[in-house]
Amino acid sequence: MGMTITEKILSHAGGKKHVSPGEIVTITYNWLMSNDATTHVSINMWKNKVKNPRIFDPGKIVFVIDHNVPAENVKTADTQKLMRIFAREHNLQLYDGEGVCHQLLMENHTLPGQVVIGADSHTTTAGAYGAFGSGFGSTDIVAALHEGTIWVKVPETIKFEISGKLKSYVTAKDLILKMIQYLGAKGATYKTMEITGDAVKDFSVEERITLTNLAIEAGAKNGIIEADRKVIDYIKGIRGEPLPEYTIFKSDPDAEYRQTFTINLDELEPMVAFPHTLDNVKPLKDAVGTKVDEVFIGSCSNGRIEDLRIAAHVLAGKKVHRSTRLLISPASRRVFKQALDEGLILTFVKAGALVLNPNCSVCWGACQGVIGKDEVLLSTGTRNFRGRAGSPESKIFLCSPRTAAVSAVTGKITHPGEFE
Amino acid sequence: MKISGKVFKFGNNIDTDIIIPTKYLVLPSLDEMARHIFEPLRGENFSAQLSPGDVITAGKNFGCGSSREQAVQCITACGVKLVIAESFSRLFFRNCINNGIYVIQSPSIPGMLSERDQVEIDINACEVKNITSGITAKFEPLSDFLYEIVQSGNLIDYFKTRKSW
């Protein structure tokens, strides 16, 4: 029986010739990422519970301070300090305020065929390079730091075949929201979402990243897209040549899939996730006219340069509506600098947007842009759970960067195809 | 092993932001964090109602959302050693096992439990007994590998008994 990309990566990382869904394998990871939302939990466990602490391979560990940047109170500051000291003591790579962890892994570390484990659910992002990425809890992270390996159950795979072409005002975000609507918030639990088809080959790498980033929101263990020339060129464009060794795995023609869905992009319209669950996805037209107090463009989901270009294109020569606030946070310092070089930041500032430092920002709702009681947030972020961005009595709608930008101008949720 | 206590019942898609809201994650100790468990749904003093041996039950996709292990650790800190749901998010399930919480996944058992029912769970016999209603049901046990981790109390302790940690 043939294998899927994910099965091939896991069998390779587990030193096996073949694996099948349901099998438990212990795999060697290439990268272990942990950020300031939970690292202090792992460090305390490391100090108090592990008798002979030893990091298996410090060169594979990436620490990122990105969730509360800059620190908004003393408790956060102390938590982050703990992380800085630990990283220094153990000679670990530490990114401090340089961007959102998943973005930094994609810019600087992940390669096709690799295994990325992260103490953060959106580690599924790695799949856009044909790598296996999945989120784990703090205890798993402590064990993995020590062992250099982690156990996983080989997941079954759900395949999405994407055909057709996006309309000018529809984006990859609308597609992944549509996919989550198909599956529901738990439809892919314990499973892989493999996204394939000619349309995905046409997608830019950054569009693909938006897809795999949100695979977890359907419950998936990982999301994956076969790597190609575009991926390699994209990575080289950021890191330069030569790249370290990598492997492009492809699913076998006789690989087994639990389910196959087909989506034709010709028919796709903009989508919105209504409060308070990700799978409460409806066509954007159902939300049109909803007044928005705050709009956020950024996050590991939609804070890359292509997203900012879309927003700047909409906002050029326009003003943010006077009853709405627009907050924009580039996903990394690199993206921020590129947006400066391209003049996008000037466009945002002229339009009246608040441009924030790269971090998880409003999507995480702890240090920036918190919303009050009964307020409505329209966000390109990753989650719309009750109270995630502030008051438990607020509402969060999730959408594409294009929908977010046009709605910031009109002050209400607006269809990007009907703007101007 | 037997566990007995009261039932606290929740619905579908209970996410980790509900179990422990983001703003409390910076609190320095688990005990302080645990005081705010389920606060968005149950208000400020819910944790005081939980006693060791109590059981949490929920509907579908329990623990969806972030990988924050504090969600599970706050449950442990309140003395809860067993959770029953129709289904779990993958990360939450894994975090439960790694923190010594026994997990029962069953499409039907949550439906036979009501808030504040008295229950007794016999893990070796794979049986849930609702003392209040008198109904008994069997469940599918965890695999041996996962049960060994649960019995160790924690994944790290599991490794310690096997390796020179």
Side-chain angles (χ1 to χ4, degrees):
Chain A
M1 181 55 67
M3 289 194 286
T4 64
I5 305 175
T6 299
E7 287 157 10
K8 285 185 182 179
I9 296 174
L10 295 182
S11 64
H12 178 75
K16 295 191 153 206
K17 278 208 177 70
H18 192 277
V19 295
S20 306
E23 196 176 328
I24 287 178
V25 281
T26 299
I27 54 170
T28 302
Y29 55 81
N30 298 90
W31 303 107
L32 180 156
M33 185 282 297
S34 191
N35 62 46
D36 57 319
T38 59
T39 302
H40 54 293
V41 179
S42 297
I43 293 175
N44 287 331
M45 228 183 273
W46 181 262
K47 286 183 176 164
N48 300 326
K49 300 209 68 163
V50 185
K51 263 185 290 183
N52 301 304
R54 152 196 79 106
I55 292 179
F56 189 83
D57 185 351
K60 291 179 172 177
I61 314 302
V62 180
F63 274 15
V64 185
I65 297 179
D66 62 354
H67 274 59
N68 294 43
V69 179
E72 81 288 17
N73 62 38
V74 176
K75 277 176 180 159
T76 299
D78 286 342
T79 297
Q80 294 180 350
K81 187 177 154 195
L82 188 71
M83 207 172 151
R84 290 187 188 103
I85 293 169
F86 189 89
R88 202 160 48 228
E89 280 174 359
H90 293 86
N91 204 18
L92 310 180
Q93 169 96 50
L94 172 75
Y95 294 99
D96 200 342
E98 288 187 48
V100 185
C101 55
H102 309 297
Q103 176 67 13
L104 295 173
L105 281 168
M106 295 311 257
E107 289 181 2
N108 305 316
H109 299 281
T110 309
L111 285 168
Q114 291 191 331
V115 170
V116 182
I117 67 169
D120 187 288
S121 47
H122 295 105
T123 308
T124 54
T125 309
Y129 288 176
F132 176 86
S134 195
F136 295 88
S138 312
T139 305
D140 271 319
I141 291 299
V142 171
L145 275 172
H146 194 279
E147 298 289 302
T149 57
I150 195 160
W151 69 266
V152 292
K153 193 158 112 180
V154 178
E156 295 180 307
T157 297
I158 299 174
K159 181 154 84 170
F160 278 90
E161 289 204 349
I162 316 292
S163 62
K165 201 171 176 317
L166 290 174
K167 297 186 182 84
S168 63
Y169 52 84
V170 183
T171 71
K173 181 65 162 269
D174 300 300
L175 171 59
I176 185 68
L177 289 176
K178 182 77 190 173
M179 288 161 72
I180 296 166
Q181 183 193 40
Y182 266 52
L183 290 170
K186 65 176 185 65
T189 301
Y190 308 118
K191 300 187 186 72
T192 298
M193 283 167 72
E194 184 175 315
I195 309 165
T196 175
D198 290 340
V200 174
K201 294 195 178 77
D202 289 343
F203 273 10
S204 71
V205 175
E206 296 196 354
E207 288 176 305
R208 299 179 197 180
I209 294 174
T210 299
L211 299 181
T212 52
N213 170 265
L214 285 179
I216 175 67
E217 304 307 338
K221 176 173 239 155
N222 68 314
I224 203 151
I225 299 170
E226 185 185 296
D228 58 10
R229 193 72 238 165
K230 265 188 196 172
V231 167
I232 303 306
D233 290 344
Y234 180 80
I235 301 172
K236 282 182 179 167
I238 296 173
R239 300 181 209 169
E241 300 199 60
L243 294 180
E245 207 180 317
Y246 59 85
T247 315
I248 293 181
F249 290 106
K250 298 176 185 221
S251 291
D252 293 324
D254 60 342
E256 217 176 317
Y257 293 94
R258 169 70 181 257
Q259 247 176 321
T260 300
F261 291 94
T262 56
I263 294 180
N264 187 339
L265 298 182
D266 295 344
E267 293 152 20
L268 187 68
E269 283 292 318
M271 307 299 286
V272 165
F274 278 59
H276 298 281
T277 56
L278 248 299
D279 58 352
N280 194 10
V281 174
K282 294 174 190 172
L284 173 71
K285 60 179 172 52
D286 292 3
V288 162
T290 307
K291 192 181 156 302
V292 291
D293 299 288
E294 184 168 300
V295 177
F296 174 63
I297 299 174
S299 85
C300 54
S301 190
N302 282 115
R304 279 167 286 277
I305 195 70
E306 290 178 9
D307 302 313
L308 300 187
R309 285 180 192 143
I310 289 171
H313 182 74
V314 170
L315 292 166
K318 304 262 187 338
K319 288 278 182 209
V320 173
H321 195 271
R322 60 191 161 81
S323 63
T324 301
R325 318 179 285 275
L326 172 61
L327 280 61
I328 301 176
S329 169
S332 71
R333 188 175 292 168
R334 186 177 181 283
V335 174
F336 200 155
K337 184 180 171 300
Q338 194 173 349
L340 275 168
D341 290 343
E342 294 184 15
L344 312 183
I345 301 293
L346 185 62
T347 303
F348 298 150
V349 172
K350 281 183 172 169
L354 284 175
V355 181
L356 306 168
N357 58 300
N359 79 115
C360 299
S361 193
V362 178
C363 178
W364 159 253
C367 76
Q368 289 180 335
V370 172
I371 51 173
K373 188 169 179 284
D374 299 329
E375 285 201 312
V376 172
L377 167 69
L378 181 67
S379 169
T380 68
T382 59
R383 292 212 164 109
N384 60 348
F385 297 159
R386 186 187 298 279
R388 179 166 171 100
S391 167
E393 285 155 85
S394 60
K395 286 183 180 159
I396 307 173
F397 293 78
L398 299 181
C399 69
S400 76
R402 193 180 302 276
T403 301
V406 300
S407 303
V409 173
T410 60
K412 51 187 194 285
I413 296 178
T414 300
H415 195 296
E418 288 159 14
F419 182 70
E420 287 182 322
Chain B
M1 189 166 85
K2 280 189 183 176
I3 289 172
S4 61
K6 298 183 295 298
V7 169
F8 290 91
K9 185 161 179 164
F10 295 87
N12 293 330
N13 294 315
I14 299 296
D15 61 65
T16 50
D17 286 59
I18 285 176
I19 301 172
I20 182 71
T22 303
K23 61 182 171 180
Y24 299 123
L25 294 181
V26 294
L27 291 177
S29 75
L30 270 176
D31 288 338
E32 283 172 79
M33 252 182 253
R35 275 181 224 143
H36 303 281
I37 193 166
F38 292 108
E39 198 173 276
L41 283 183
R42 298 290 187 106
E44 281 180 11
N45 294 315
F46 177 65
S47 68
Q49 300 173 30
L50 286 163
S51 315
D54 285 349
V55 167
I56 288 175
T57 188
K60 295 188 174 75
N61 205 22
F62 188 35
C64 60
S66 72
S67 61
R68 69 183 65 160
E69 195 156 329
Q70 293 99 322
V72 166
Q73 290 168 335
C74 285
I75 292 176
T76 321
C78 293
V80 174
K81 299 288 287 173
L82 187 137
V83 293
I84 307 173
E86 289 175 41
S87 64
F88 291 87
S89 89
R90 172 193 150 258
L91 278 165
F92 188 80
F93 181 92
R94 198 174 169 108
N95 288 340
C96 282
I97 301 294
N98 287 342
N99 284 281
I101 295 183
Y102 198 91
V103 179
I104 298 175
Q105 186 161 330
S106 159
S108 57
I109 295 176
M112 59 172 257
L113 303 173
S114 304
E115 182 82 2
R116 303 274 174 170
D117 277 357
Q118 196 68 31
V119 283
E120 186 176 279
I121 292 105
D122 185 333
I123 289 174
N124 300 329
C126 303
E127 198 172 82
V128 176
K129 194 171 178 182
N130 186 334
I131 311 270
T132 308
S133 69
I135 301 173
T136 301
K138 289 276 185 188
F139 61 85
E140 194 67 35
L142 289 176
S143 71
D144 291 345
F145 173 58
L146 298 185
Y147 189 35
E148 277 175 43
I149 298 175
V150 171
Q151 281 182 308
S152 305
N154 185 293
L155 180 68
I156 293 168
D157 293 327
Y158 168 82
F159 275 117
K160 270 190 195 165
T161 58
R162 281 156 185 78
K163 295 183 180 177
S164 61
W165 269 51

